[in-house]
Amino acid sequence: MTLKPCFPPRLVPVLSIGLLAVLGILPLAGCSRAPDATPISFAVFGDPAEFAAYQELVARFEQRRPDIDIQLQHIPSQSDYRKRLAASFSGGEPPDVFLLNYRRFATYAADGSLAPLDEFLDGSRILRREAYFPITMAAFTWEGQLWCIPQNVSSLVVYYNKDLFTAAGVPFPEEGWSREDFVDAARKLTLDLDGDGRSDQFGAGIEPNLFRLAPFVWQDGLDIVDDPLRPSRLVLDDPRVLETFRWFADLQRVERVAPDAVAEAAEPLENRWLNGRLAMLFNSRRGVPTYRTIDRFSWDVAPLPVGRQAAGILHADGYCLASAADNKEAAWTFIEFANSFEGQTIVAASGRTVPSLIAVAESEAFLTPDLPPAQARVFIETIPLLRAVPVIRGWTAVEDLASKEIERAFYGLASVEEAAADAGSFTAPYFSTGP
């Protein structure tokens, strides 16, 4: 069957092609709708490799179900995607099926925008709860109901430039390496290459935000909130948590192994990594399709350096179903296929995701022995160590506001104590928004 992805007309009533181009959302050539097929709109984000995988996913599904016409909406940027998705719900015309991170779905579930999926899953002959990594199912469960089917799972890992490590005589990071090992390596890999008194090559790159700080707090046996299940406030101002926060901020303020604000503005972390001037980059699996285009150096991945104990942070997206969908059965049929062994195998080919289906994650479709990273199993082996941030209605605002304060401390614009206190004060109202 010919692929017919398009930007659903009912989602963009009168936008011109020119305006769509400005927004980065383009209808694809050959867009058409079979007169007798049930139209289902499907919204995703991601880079070209991931988009190609979604195109293939739609094509395979339509070969099996020509009675359902999947209309594919693609917005590359995640931030733009979130804005457009929120606008579509506000306007009363959301996509039927859409991809959403577990940190963000509770906002939509709380106001009735999502359809719960327990009955669909329990009645499925294709999908089984126990076939998925348990933490992914738990992450999309809120107020006793399952709201989205997890598509992927990823841990935060350290990408490292093998050539820079070798040139500096620094051993490659290994499982169980400590924070002290990490900082020592980062110092040796931070270099002033042209003798102008400023570092040109940095040992480490990490985004200064709450999502990056959290796993290090957990590694110290602490938490970022007062109660992980029913949080009522951030506790970054706890004296013990402040010590971890200070260690995190001091990577830039004291150790100078991470770029300062000026260096970051001149060359963002990922660009610096791609250009070979960053020895270690903290990121999830999402960067792999882009990093596989690197031909100037060799790279691999390692687990996070360990504090008092090992811990990581969950990254996971899921397929969600809008409560406003006209034909939920047809939409579920597509979600069911997308999360089957065949469906997840197709998307895994993009390199961007760690499949949430255990069988696919353990297959060569994900492990791809002929493509980097060579240590792809790190993503699987660290899953038992993962924790999720709280799933509450106001979490998106909590994370955004707290991250601004963490960034201020990281770049020396505020003390750690001041940033922690402000983060708690600014985020307090978002913990009381109710279910």
Side-chain angles (χ1 to χ4, degrees), residues 68-107:
I68 300 176
D69 179 18
I70 303 299
Q71 302 171 339
L72 181 58
Q73 172 190 351
H74 175 240
I75 303 174
S77 163
Q78 286 196 50
S79 60
D80 289 344
Y81 175 83
R82 292 195 295 268
K83 293 174 185 175
R84 297 290 300 175
L85 187 64
S88 72
F89 273 98
S90 296
E93 295 188 350
D96 299 315
V97 177
F98 53 98
L99 202 61
L100 198 60
N101 190 275
Y102 80 94
R103 293 139 62 200
R104 308 182 189 282
F105 81 87
T107 300

Side-chain angles (χ1 to χ4, degrees), residues 222-300:
L222 306 169
D223 213 321
I224 57 175
V225 294
D226 57 341
D227 182 345
L229 297 180
R230 293 286 179 182
S232 63
R233 63 185 181 92
L234 285 178
V235 292
L236 300 185
D237 56 350
D238 180 302
R240 299 169 301 166
V241 179
L242 278 173
E243 287 304 306
T244 309
F245 187 0
R246 186 172 293 107
W247 174 87
F248 182 85
D250 283 354
L251 293 174
Q252 195 290 124
R253 301 188 315 169
V254 176
E255 299 292 347
R256 302 296 184 186
V257 297
D260 61 19
V262 173
E264 172 64 16
E267 186 175 28
L269 289 180
E270 190 156 78
N271 289 0
R272 194 178 291 273
W273 163 257
L274 294 171
N275 292 332
R277 290 191 288 273
L278 185 65
M280 292 180 280
L281 175 66
F282 289 74
N283 202 357
S284 67
R285 179 74 186 192
R286 70 175 181 84
V288 167
T290 300
Y291 304 163
R292 283 177 175 171
T293 67
I294 295 171
D295 57 12
R296 61 191 302 168
F297 62 85
S298 298
W299 58 274
D300 209 340

Side-chain angles (χ1 to χ4, degrees), residues 165-190:
F165 270 75
T166 299
V170 178
F172 295 157
E174 297 180 348
E175 181 181 359
W177 65 319
S178 68
R179 287 189 198 167
E180 290 74 19
D181 296 331
F182 158 67
V183 173
D184 182 60
R187 289 176 184 142
K188 294 174 180 176
L189 290 160
T190 300

Side-chain angles (χ1 to χ4, degrees), residues 1 3-4 38-40 42 53-71 126 329-340 342-343 346:
M1 183 174 182
L3 179 65
K4 306 184 298 301
T38 300
I40 297 296
F42 172 42
Y54 289 127
Q55 289 180 297
E56 176 65 17
L57 179 72
V58 169
R60 293 274 195 94
F61 175 77
E62 289 187 334
Q63 287 174 353
R64 288 158 177 73
R65 293 296 304 266
D67 59 317
I68 300 176
D69 179 18
I70 303 299
Q71 302 171 339
I126 298 173
E329 290 291 341
W332 167 255
T333 301
F334 175 66
I335 292 175
E336 190 176 45
F337 174 78
N339 282 292
S340 67
E342 181 179 359
I346 293 169

